[in-house]
């Protein structure tokens, strides 16, 4: 796409539209968790039904991310972004008006479909609209907004449920979506990938494999890891993903070219993203319950007390984007992940049945700074490690790995929590929480190690890529 077209699209408008859309999609991962008791009181349903109001969204979102990105590359990223946004907005209204638990679960599944089409295209549309020299800053703001959405989901859901109604956790998306639809049509420039035909065998293998893995991870803590359906889903999903890899190494135009993983930059940032989301999602899931169930805070009070962690991306991530422009993404991402590991380790050390908020504060602040330093440079590293025409599927693959990481984190840390403690008393909860947080800290430390495998930035002369490099669309030129 020409620079003139990109300017006509408007970098500022692209940043606003993609950030708000990403916020909506990321928010709905965890926004329902604190509203489940109120939903059950209004709509009825067993515990299993309530869990599906969360799982239905996670499943369709994670499974269809790469397919949504591939559709955008083939038929137009702006067109598919608008379609995904329209589906997500309509499904949000349907969820808010759901007359029963079954219709709510169905609406949540459709929400996930819309988000899966919309979310991976936010980064490609943003990259196309922002000049290379300012992409780090733009990614910083985009990352700050998305990080805030992931971390503040329980707070927003709890506050709306406590002070208005659980229906508003879904109504919140509707005016935002309605406002974004015409803006996206008027202010975003259209772009496409290679134009190759859709890879139907690869799509079926990848989608089926992700469905099996995510289904098994989501249902494992509730149904038991020895449940026949859980084991079958995990085995079948793993087998299909192996088949997807083997097929993609031989296919002429695969949905996700396996050669991308030969790049240490692409492999390193995806490994770091997967591990980071394992540690972060699992920790937030348990800590939000700890503050309410053990320390006795209301959902709003708990959310406010987590702001030093969850709100930090809004302050630090834009600065992290600027830093990544100047020194490269690897040191910023690795530092951020290391700080988050330290913060989680500190929280594991201080948690008790009656710990003061002052004692928790250092861990929350350090974790928040670490999360903020990760988000912006990570987006930059993903997008700059592939060719411009491959950015859509690269973004989809990275988002899919993050979603799998989030599901895996909740599953693994919930299992550790249940094995070592439980909900029977405050002390029992702490006994389970502490080893889970230690595990989360260790996993995020592994993510920091994975980030260090990313090659250092290698400067190019006169705007040309360094020797042996393909032109990189973002500010960094990475060695392979």
């Amino acid at each position: 796409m020409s620079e003139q077209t990109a300017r006509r699209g408007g970098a500022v408008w692209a940043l606003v539209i993609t950030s708000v859309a990403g916020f909506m999609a990321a928010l709905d991962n965890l926004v329902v968790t604190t509203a489940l008791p109120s939903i059950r009181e209004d709509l009825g349903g067993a515990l299993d039904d309530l869990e599906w109001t969360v799982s239905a969204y996670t499943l369709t979102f994670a499974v269809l991310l790469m397919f949504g990105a591939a559709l955008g590359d083939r038929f137009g990223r702006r067109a598919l972004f608008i379609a995904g946004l329209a589906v997500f907005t309509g499904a949000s209204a349907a969820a808010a008006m759901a007359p029963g638990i079954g219709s709510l679960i169905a609406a949540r599944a459709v929400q996930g479909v819309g988000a899966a089409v919309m979310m991976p295209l936010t980064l490609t549309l943003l990259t196309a609209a922002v000049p290379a020299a300012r992409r780090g800053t733009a990614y910083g703001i985009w990352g700050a907004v998305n990080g805030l959405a992931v971390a503040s989901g329980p707070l927003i859901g709890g506050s709306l449920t406590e002070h208005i109604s659980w229906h508003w956790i879904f109504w919140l998306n509707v005016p935002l979506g309605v406002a974004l639809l015409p803006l996206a049509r008027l202010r975003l420039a259209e772009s496409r990938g290679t134009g190759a035909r859709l890879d139907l065998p690869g799509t079926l293998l990848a989608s089926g494999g992700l469905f099996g893995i995510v289904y098994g991870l989501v249902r494992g803590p509730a149904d038991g890891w020895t449940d026949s359906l859980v084991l079958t889903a995990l085995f079948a999903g793993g087998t299909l993903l192996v088949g997807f890899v083997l097929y993609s190494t031989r296919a002429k135009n695969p949905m996700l070219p396996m050669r991308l993983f030969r790049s240490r930059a692409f492999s390193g940032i995806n490994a770091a993203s997967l591990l980071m989301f394992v540690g972060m999602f699992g920790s937030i899931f348990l800590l939000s319950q700890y503050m309410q169930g053990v320390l006795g805070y209301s959902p709003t009070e708990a959310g406010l007390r987590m702001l030093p962690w969850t709100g930090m991306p809004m302050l630090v991530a834009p600065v992290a984007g600027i830093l990544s422009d100047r020194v490269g993404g690897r040191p910023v991402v690795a530092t951020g992940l290391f700080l988050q590991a330290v913060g989680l380790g500190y929280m594991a050390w201080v948690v008790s049945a009656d710990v003061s908020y002052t004692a928790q504060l250092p861990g929350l602040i350090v974790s928040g700074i670490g999360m903020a330093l990760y988000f912006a440079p990570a987006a930059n590293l993903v997008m700059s490690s592939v060719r411009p025409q491959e950015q859509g599927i690269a973004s989809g693959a990275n988002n899919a790995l993050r979603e799998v990481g989030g599901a895996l984190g909740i599953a693994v840390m919930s299992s550790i929590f249940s094995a070592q403690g439980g909900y029977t008393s405050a002390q029992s909860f702490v006994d389970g929480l502490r080893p889970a947080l230690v595990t989360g800290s260790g996993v995020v430390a592994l993510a920091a190690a994975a980030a260090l495998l990313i090659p250092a930035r290698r400067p190019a002369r006169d705007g040309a890529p360094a020797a042996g490099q393909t032109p990189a669309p973002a500010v960094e030129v990475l060695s392979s």
Side-chain angles (χ1 to χ4, degrees), residues 264-265 267-276 330 333-334 337 443-455:
R264 284 169 53 202
S267 296
I269 191 56
N270 277 290
S273 297
L274 173 68
L275 293 168
M276 187 272 191
R330 180 180 72 164
V333 166
L337 292 171
V443 171
V444 177
L446 288 176
L452 291 175
L453 298 176
I454 299 170

Side-chain angles (χ1 to χ4, degrees), residues 208-213 231-245:
L210 286 171
F211 180 87
I213 294 293
L231 289 175
T232 300
L234 291 172
F235 177 78
T239 301
L240 288 173
L241 287 181
V242 170
F244 171 70
V245 171

Side-chain angles (χ1 to χ4, degrees), residues 3 127 130-136 325 380 472-476:
E3 288 294 321
T127 300
V130 178
R134 291 190 290 165
R135 284 183 187 143
D325 282 345
N380 203 347
V475 68
E476 297 184 29

Side-chain angles (χ1 to χ4, degrees), residues 252-271:
K252 183 178 180 181
N253 293 302
M255 179 175 68
L256 178 62
M258 290 297 110
R259 58 176 171 75
L260 296 181
F261 291 95
R262 297 174 191 164
S263 163
R264 284 169 53 202
F266 188 75
S267 296
I269 191 56
N270 277 290

Side-chain angles (χ1 to χ4, degrees), residues 60-71:
T60 53
F61 186 28
V63 166
L64 297 175
L65 274 164
M66 285 198 291
F67 182 51
L71 286 175

Side-chain angles (χ1 to χ4, degrees), residues 217-297:
L217 292 175
V218 165
R219 301 308 308 166
D223 299 342
W225 294 106
T226 57
D227 178 78
S228 59
L229 190 56
V230 170
L231 289 175
T232 300
L234 291 172
F235 177 78
T239 301
L240 288 173
L241 287 181
V242 170
F244 171 70
V245 171
L246 295 175
Y247 164 81
S248 298
T249 59
R250 296 173 173 81
K252 183 178 180 181
N253 293 302
M255 179 175 68
L256 178 62
M258 290 297 110
R259 58 176 171 75
L260 296 181
F261 291 95
R262 297 174 191 164
S263 163
R264 284 169 53 202
F266 188 75
S267 296
I269 191 56
N270 277 290
S273 297
L274 173 68
L275 293 168
M276 187 272 191
F277 269 65
V278 170
M280 184 187 69
F281 258 69
S283 299
I284 290 175
F285 179 75
L286 291 174
L287 282 172
S288 62
Q289 297 180 65
Y290 166 73
M291 286 196 166
Q292 295 175 62
V294 176
L295 301 183
Y297 299 128

Side-chain angles (χ1 to χ4, degrees), residues 100-348:
I101 194 69
S103 55
L104 176 59
I105 293 170
R108 287 283 287 165
V110 177
Q111 261 192 315
V113 174
V117 174
M118 173 177 69
M119 185 65 171
L121 299 177
T122 59
L123 266 182
T124 41
L125 290 166
L126 182 60
T127 300
V130 178
R134 291 190 290 165
R135 284 183 187 143
T137 304
Y139 290 147
I141 297 171
W142 180 90
V145 174
N146 279 267
L148 178 65
V150 170
S152 63
L155 164 63
I156 294 174
S159 298
L160 290 174
T161 301
E162 183 179 348
H163 298 296
I164 307 178
S165 164
W166 67 263
H167 301 82
W168 278 93
I169 64 179
F170 302 115
W171 281 126
L172 177 67
N173 294 322
V174 176
L176 292 175
V178 169
L180 288 184
L181 283 168
L183 287 176
R185 177 66 182 84
L186 296 172
R187 298 293 182 176
L188 293 178
E190 185 61 279
S191 64
R192 287 177 171 82
T194 61
R197 297 179 61 183
L198 284 177
D199 176 17
L200 292 180
T203 297
L204 293 174
L205 287 169
S207 299
L210 286 171
F211 180 87
I213 294 293
V214 176
Y215 178 89
L217 292 175
V218 165
R219 301 308 308 166
D223 299 342
W225 294 106
T226 57
D227 178 78
S228 59
L229 190 56
V230 170
L231 289 175
T232 300
L234 291 172
F235 177 78
T239 301
L240 288 173
L241 287 181
V242 170
F244 171 70
V245 171
L246 295 175
Y247 164 81
S248 298
T249 59
R250 296 173 173 81
K252 183 178 180 181
N253 293 302
M255 179 175 68
L256 178 62
M258 290 297 110
R259 58 176 171 75
L260 296 181
F261 291 95
R262 297 174 191 164
S263 163
R264 284 169 53 202
F266 188 75
S267 296
I269 191 56
N270 277 290
S273 297
L274 173 68
L275 293 168
M276 187 272 191
F277 269 65
V278 170
M280 184 187 69
F281 258 69
S283 299
I284 290 175
F285 179 75
L286 291 174
L287 282 172
S288 62
Q289 297 180 65
Y290 166 73
M291 286 196 166
Q292 295 175 62
V294 176
L295 301 183
Y297 299 128
S298 70
T300 304
E301 291 170 340
L304 289 173
R305 282 164 174 79
M306 290 185 74
L307 274 179
W309 182 8
T310 59
M312 196 62 70
M314 293 300 294
L315 301 176
V316 179
V319 179
I322 296 172
L323 283 175
S324 72
D325 282 345
R326 295 183 178 179
V327 303
R330 180 180 72 164
V332 182
V333 166
T335 300
L337 292 171
F338 174 76
L339 288 176
Q340 187 163 6
V342 170
L344 290 176
Y346 175 86
M347 291 295 293

